[in-house]
Amino acid sequence: AWVKFHNDGYNESRVGESMHVWADYFPPNMKCEITQDYLDYDVERGIYEYELSEDKSSVWLHFKNPGSGLFHFEVGEPLDTSTMVWIHVYPLDWGN
């Protein structure tokens, strides 16, 4: 069994940008899903909108306002592990 997370850890982006966060894993029936409660909390705070895949192993984030948010992947047996995704969204003109 294995899992490869994409864009886990710390990420920086700007308002108006989008980011794809996902995991590749095997076996395909292993539980590997993003915790939706955290995503909903960040949406309530206006940081981003999201599109979560049906199996919850992939999400597109569309950044709306500056701020920081986080969520995590939970991976079931036989690996029983997790990872955090932390996103810091800067204003559109940041760094100019």
Side-chain angles (χ1 to χ4, degrees):
W2 55 267
V3 63
K4 167 69 174 139
F5 297 106
H6 301 275
N7 293 325
D8 63 331
Y10 178 74
N11 297 274
E12 294 180 334
S13 198
R14 292 184 186 180
V15 170
E17 295 179 339
S18 295
M19 183 172 60
H20 188 205
V21 180
W22 77 100
D24 295 316
Y25 54 95
F26 184 84
N29 62 340
M30 182 171 63
K31 177 187 170 194
C32 182
E33 64 183 41
I34 295 168
T35 305
Q36 193 169 354
D37 292 350
Y38 289 90
L39 296 171
D40 290 339
Y41 179 69
D42 291 342
V43 166
E44 287 175 17
R45 297 185 307 129
I47 299 170
Y48 53 72
E49 295 294 325
Y50 69 87
E51 298 170 52
L52 189 61
S53 66
E54 196 171 309
D55 68 356
K56 298 184 181 179
S57 69
S58 170
V59 66
W60 274 98
L61 305 170
H62 308 288
F63 303 116
K64 302 293 184 189
N65 291 293
S68 292
L70 62 90
F71 59 90
H72 65 88
F73 277 97
E74 294 179 359
V75 179
E77 292 196 19
L79 297 179
D80 286 326
T81 190
S82 65
T83 191
M84 295 296 296
V85 178
W86 179 24
I87 298 156
H88 189 87
V89 181
Y90 291 97
L92 182 59
D93 62 353
W94 176 75
N96 290 335

